[in-house]
Amino acid sequence: SQQGEEDPQALSIQEGENATMNCSYKTSINNLQWYRQNSGRGLVHLILIRSNEREKHSGRLRVTLDTSKKSSSLLITASRAADTASYFCASYYGQNFVFGPGTRLSVLP
Amino acid sequence: EAGVAQSPRYKIIEKRQSVAFWCNPISGHATLYWYQQILGQGPKLLIQFQNNGVVDDSQLPKDRFSAERLKGVDSTLKIQPAKLEDSAVYLCASSPGSSGNTIYFGEGSWLTVV
């Protein structure tokens, strides 16, 4: 399988803390994207990082990409209860997106 | 801008019955995807269309699943006959092109096969 892997599978933190999720993939990619999925809903795009970029910011989100290690990380700073969701990385290669199994984040008030 | 529309949202059928899901992508989006998401897992691509042509259907169980995209706009995904393991959320998504653009997802169609 070419599917990527997120780590950890589940993460529980207190409101205000930072949350870090990692993603590994298996082949060279064109870009990598992170998506959020609230329970019972569709996926929502968070951020895209291209293969020639190393870091990208969007609000409280910071994504890094290490192509030599075939890995990416998503950092959510100052987490809120509303950040509770599943987070997926999607690696893009060829003409396909391959999603990992996701990290389930719980932010406790 | 209207998002990706899917219907029905929920469906319960008995095994060996058939079911069809409909998707209307964002206007102007050339690429349409159908993903299957089993509870607790990430989405798995079933089929990808570019306009009304199939780009990738390598993971579509063609003995029971079929999909079409008429006139390069709306799409339907059909399962016949359904099996218990087909219980999942079927996510339709679209993007402006096929070169790694952001994918926009619908809310999904939840299928339970009993």
Side-chain angles (χ1 to χ4, degrees):
Chain A
S1 168
Q2 303 263 5
Q3 192 177 46
E5 295 286 333
E6 284 96 343
D7 166 56
Q9 290 186 333
L11 180 61
S12 186
I13 59 174
Q14 295 293 134
E15 215 168 13
E17 294 180 339
N18 295 341
T20 300
M21 287 158 270
N22 302 298
C23 167
S24 61
Y25 55 91
K26 297 182 180 180
T27 63
S28 296
I29 57 170
N30 302 104
N31 69 53
L32 186 141
Q33 302 185 28
W34 285 89
Y35 288 79
R36 183 186 74 226
Q37 185 177 37
N38 290 87
S39 181
R41 309 297 297 274
L43 281 77
V44 174
H45 178 259
L46 295 176
I47 197 164
L48 179 154
I49 186 164
R50 302 190 189 284
S51 59
N52 60 354
E53 297 175 314
R54 292 297 168 260
E55 187 171 309
K56 209 158 182 186
H57 297 254
S58 177
R60 293 184 296 112
L61 306 180
R62 181 172 76 99
V63 168
T64 61
L65 180 65
D66 187 334
T67 53
S68 66
K69 295 181 180 178
K70 292 187 171 58
S71 67
S72 174
S73 67
L74 170 66
L75 169 67
I76 304 173
T77 60
S79 63
R80 305 166 181 168
D83 295 327
T84 294
S86 291
Y87 292 82
F88 297 91
C89 69
S91 50
Y92 182 76
Y93 68 97
Q95 295 187 81
N96 298 313
F97 283 97
V98 178
F99 285 83
T103 292
R104 288 174 293 284
L105 174 65
S106 297
V107 181
L108 307 175
Chain B
E1 177 182 74
V4 177
Q6 290 189 245
S7 68
R9 282 278 282 142
Y10 305 95
K11 191 76 176 178
I12 301 175
I13 62 173
E14 296 183 349
K15 59 183 178 184
R16 291 187 290 274
Q17 286 188 324
S18 63
V19 64
F21 301 113
W22 172 84
C23 172
N24 182 237
I26 293 173
S27 178
H29 280 194
T31 306
L32 185 147
Y33 311 82
W34 282 103
Y35 285 89
Q36 179 193 58
Q37 186 178 25
I38 293 172
L39 189 64
Q41 298 182 18
K44 182 185 85 170
L45 180 69
L46 292 175
I47 189 166
Q48 177 182 341
F49 293 95
Q50 178 75 11
N51 297 308
N52 58 351
V54 176
V55 173
D56 184 355
D57 63 356
S58 58
Q59 298 190 89
L60 185 74
K62 298 181 185 64
D63 57 334
R64 298 184 300 105
F65 286 64
S66 65
E68 60 181 5
R69 189 180 185 194
L70 300 174
K71 301 180 181 178
V73 182
D74 293 8
S75 178
T76 56
L77 175 71
K78 297 179 181 177
I79 307 174
Q80 181 179 16
K83 292 185 176 181
L84 297 177
E85 59 261 35
D86 297 332
S87 295
V89 181
Y90 291 86
L91 295 163
C92 181
S94 69
S95 66
S98 61
S99 57
N101 304 100
T102 296
I103 301 178
Y104 298 85
F105 283 85
E107 295 289 358
S109 293
W110 293 68
L111 174 66
T112 301
V113 182
V114 297

